[in-house]
Amino acid sequence: MKEFVEAAKAAPSPFKMGGTGSKREDNVLTVFMEQKTGAKFAYLPYKSGGEAATQLVGNHTESNVNNPRKISRSGAPARSARSAYSTRSGSPTQPR
């Protein structure tokens, strides 16, 4: 989590966080993380978890709030999926 927050704070513009729907749990979690950490996020709502996962794998977002099960159902390769606490660049527990 520490590396994720540091990466978000170091980003030159708000960190792009993809999720499912607007004003729902993914959006609320992103706002909560922003308030608690001081990092700036741009929450990008998508119609489905699969669409949000595709945007992450395609490097259109830096992070994703999706449930890992939604990511696995999207057809994205398992090695491409990242948890809500990591970024495209990876983390100590999930190398790129």
Side-chain angles (χ1 to χ4, degrees), residues 35-55:
Q35 291 173 347
K36 293 296 182 183
T37 66
K40 299 294 180 198
F41 296 98
Y43 178 75
L44 303 171
Y46 294 99
K47 293 177 184 177
S48 69
E51 186 180 358
T54 300
Q55 296 302 308

Side-chain angles (χ1 to χ4, degrees), residues 17-88:
M17 177 81 83
T20 305
S22 181
K23 300 178 181 130
R24 297 184 66 198
E25 60 273 3
D26 290 355
N27 196 176
V28 171
L29 178 60
T30 303
V31 171
F32 176 79
M33 288 174 44
E34 190 172 59
Q35 291 173 347
K36 293 296 182 183
T37 66
K40 299 294 180 198
F41 296 98
Y43 178 75
L44 303 171
Y46 294 99
K47 293 177 184 177
S48 69
E51 186 180 358
T54 300
Q55 296 302 308
L56 177 66
V57 173
N59 294 327
H60 302 289
T61 57
E62 275 94 29
S63 56
N64 193 317
V65 191
N66 259 338
N67 177 323
R69 189 170 191 188
K70 290 180 184 175
I71 293 172
S72 66
R73 288 181 181 171
S74 72
R79 70 181 181 278
S80 300
R82 305 284 190 270
S83 75
Y85 301 113
S86 64
T87 66
R88 284 193 319 255

